[in-house]
């Protein structure tokens, strides 16, 4: 299914506050469907049944953009419409108009256009639309402005999109698209918080992102760097090891350069005195060994390089241990 929300356009900017104050419909799509019509609250079961409700939801996902009757019929009946699909759809629209704009006929938010329908965005304050607008503007802003926008957006996205629509394919696709955007917003919030030296907040957003996508390397990076920034190196190392094991088990690969460098710093931060230097040398040698034999491949000079690395590691350790014995 085509993506039906979040596309930039000239009408996607937030509505002026004076207009929002007089908006006839305030609608929630995140979580349980809820329509507030000037103080009258309509729930998912107050809109004439499942199919009329789905008509409303599909149009709200394309807020301000028309959708044809043919497309609505295709989505509602998942490619297998009944013989009377068109008059049935038109009857659903009549039911929705009675609920959403009683006494207004065709002059309210739910309007007929050539061959289809549209919900005019100037009549509606929609939580999903607000989330998308804040997220898009945050992407174009510096950290100091970005983080407050992301906080507002993510405060709206505490429940899954279209929580009432568990079965239709179009709803599942939209829910997955929105969930990916929420995860990306949480990672961006973590990175923005870290940039502003708000380490604990960065850790919190990263943990939420990992709850969505446990193998997301960007989220793990934000978490581990946030723990490092927060002065929690032992927890950072634990997080690194958890991610390394999960990657190896699920995908057969290892963390990237940024995380391996973070691991070295975290190990040094948890080591004392000279041992920190020794540890850094050994980690560097281990990394050279890994690079000499990428993905376990066999190269002509790999054995020679490995043996040289091991000899150098042995010299470093021997020198360190001799000094420890003398000092003891």
């Amino acid at each position: 299914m085509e993506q039906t929300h979040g596309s930039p356009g000239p009408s996607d900017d937030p509505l002026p506050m004076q207009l929002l104050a007089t908006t006839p419909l305030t609608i929630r799509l995140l979580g349980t469907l809820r329509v507030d019509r000037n103080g009258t609250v309509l729930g998912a079961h107050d809109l004439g049944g499942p199919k009329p409700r789905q008509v409303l939801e599909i149009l709200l996902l394309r807020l301000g953009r028309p959708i044809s009757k043919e497309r609505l019929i295709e989505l509602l009946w998942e490619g297998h419409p009944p013989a009377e699909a068109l008059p049935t759809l038109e009857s659903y629209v009549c039911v929705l108009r009675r609920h959403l704009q009683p006494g207004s006929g065709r002059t309210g938010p739910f309007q007929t256009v050539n061959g289809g329908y549209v919900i005019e965005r100037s009549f509606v304050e929609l939580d999903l639309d607000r989330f998308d607008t804040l997220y898009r503007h945050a992407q174009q802003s510096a950290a100091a402005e970005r983080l407050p926008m992301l906080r507002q957006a993510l405060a709206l996205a505490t429940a899954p999109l279209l929580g009432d629509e568990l079965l239709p394919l179009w709803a599942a696709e939209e829910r997955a698209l929105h969930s990916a955007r929420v995860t990306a917003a949480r990672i961006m919030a973590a990175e923005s918080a870290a940039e502003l030296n708000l380490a604990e907040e960065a850790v919190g957003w990263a943990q939420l992102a990992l709850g969505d996508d446990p193998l997301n390397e960007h989220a793990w990076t934000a978490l581990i760097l946030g723990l490092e920034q927060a002065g929690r190196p032992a927890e950072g190392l634990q997080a690194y090891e958890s991610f390394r094991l999960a990657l190896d088990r699920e995908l057969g690969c290892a963390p990237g350069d940024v995380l391996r460098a973070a691991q070295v710093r975290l190990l040094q931060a948890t080591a004392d005195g000279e041992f920190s230097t020794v540890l850094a040398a050994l980690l560097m040698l281990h990394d050279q060994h890994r690079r000499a034999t990428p993905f376990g491949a066999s190269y002509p000079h790999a054995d020679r390089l490995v043996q040289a690395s091991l000899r150098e590691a042995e010299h470093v350790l021997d020198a360190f241990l001799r000094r420890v014995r003398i000092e003891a």
Side-chain angles (χ1 to χ4, degrees):
M1 178 182 174
E2 64 200 272
Q3 184 171 354
T4 56
H5 69 273
S7 300
S11 61
D12 282 342
D13 291 329
L15 297 175
M17 291 308 297
Q18 63 268 26
L19 179 56
L20 289 177
T22 58
T23 297
L25 296 178
T26 300
I27 302 179
R28 182 177 67 197
L29 278 183
L30 299 172
T32 300
L33 177 66
R34 182 180 185 274
V35 179
D36 187 336
R37 190 192 67 218
N38 290 327
T40 299
V41 176
L42 305 174
H45 302 293
D46 300 322
L47 297 168
K51 283 288 192 285
R53 180 184 71 225
Q54 290 175 14
V55 171
L56 174 63
E57 290 167 341
I58 292 168
L59 287 167
L60 287 170
L61 291 169
R62 292 179 60 101
L63 184 63
R65 290 173 286 163
I67 184 167
S68 69
K69 294 179 182 180
E70 290 78 9
R71 181 61 173 152
L72 281 168
I73 288 170
E74 179 184 352
L75 293 174
L76 284 175
W77 285 282
E78 297 186 335
H80 302 284
E84 300 298 315
L86 182 57
T88 302
L89 171 63
E90 291 170 346
S91 72
Y92 293 158
V93 169
C94 290
V95 169
L96 284 171
R97 282 190 170 127
R98 285 200 301 271
H99 288 295
L100 298 176
Q101 49 202 51
S104 300
R106 295 170 180 251
T107 62
F110 202 123
Q111 298 188 9
T112 301
V113 294
N114 185 27
Y117 303 102
V118 65
I119 294 182
E120 288 294 340
R121 65 183 300 126
S122 59
F123 285 92
V124 175
E125 182 182 1
L126 180 65
D127 58 353
L128 177 64
D129 184 55
R130 181 67 176 158
F131 172 88
D132 285 341
T133 298
L134 286 165
Y135 176 58
R136 189 179 65 256
H137 287 183
Q139 291 175 301
Q140 303 164 0
S141 303
E145 295 77 36
R146 184 190 315 133
L147 185 57
M149 291 183 195
L150 292 169
R151 287 170 179 159
Q152 291 181 56
L154 291 166
L156 296 169
T158 56
L161 175 65
L162 298 166
D164 298 306
E165 301 297 349
L166 300 178
L167 296 178
L169 180 60
W170 60 266
E173 290 174 345
E174 290 293 340
R175 191 179 299 113
L177 286 170
H178 175 71
S179 178
R181 290 168 69 78
V182 170
T183 301
R186 286 171 172 163
I187 294 170
M188 188 186 298
E191 294 169 344
S192 302
E195 191 174 340
L196 297 170
N197 295 312
L198 301 171
E200 295 296 344
E201 182 174 353
V203 169
W205 287 123
Q207 288 171 331
L208 287 174
L210 287 170
D212 302 331
D213 185 357
L215 287 177
N216 190 306
E217 184 155 358
H218 292 293
W220 279 105
T221 300
L223 174 62
I224 292 165
L225 295 182
L227 289 168
E228 179 185 17
Q229 188 181 49
R232 297 158 62 182
E235 293 173 71
L237 284 173
Q238 190 175 39
Y240 177 89
E241 186 63 10
S242 296
F243 179 48
R244 185 191 67 78
L245 290 172
L247 269 187
D248 182 59
R249 180 178 62 251
E250 300 295 333
L251 302 176
C253 58
D257 291 342
V258 172
L259 281 181
R260 287 199 303 275
Q263 182 202 25
V264 172
R265 295 193 304 271
L266 291 166
L267 284 166
Q268 289 177 306
T270 58
D272 293 324
E274 189 180 4
F275 183 64
S276 174
T277 304
V278 174
L279 185 59
L282 289 173
L283 286 167
M284 180 184 68
L285 291 170
H286 170 74
D287 193 53
Q288 289 175 351
H289 177 190
R290 184 191 61 79
R291 291 174 184 276
T293 56
F295 306 107
S298 178
Y299 288 84
H301 304 294
D303 290 341
R304 180 172 53 81
L305 290 170
V306 170
Q307 291 301 321
S309 294
L310 290 173
R311 284 195 298 273
E312 181 62 26
E314 184 179 344
H315 293 328
V316 172
L317 278 176
D318 281 346
F320 174 70
L321 291 172
R322 279 197 299 272
R323 281 193 297 274
V324 170
R325 292 191 191 100
I326 291 171
E327 291 171 2

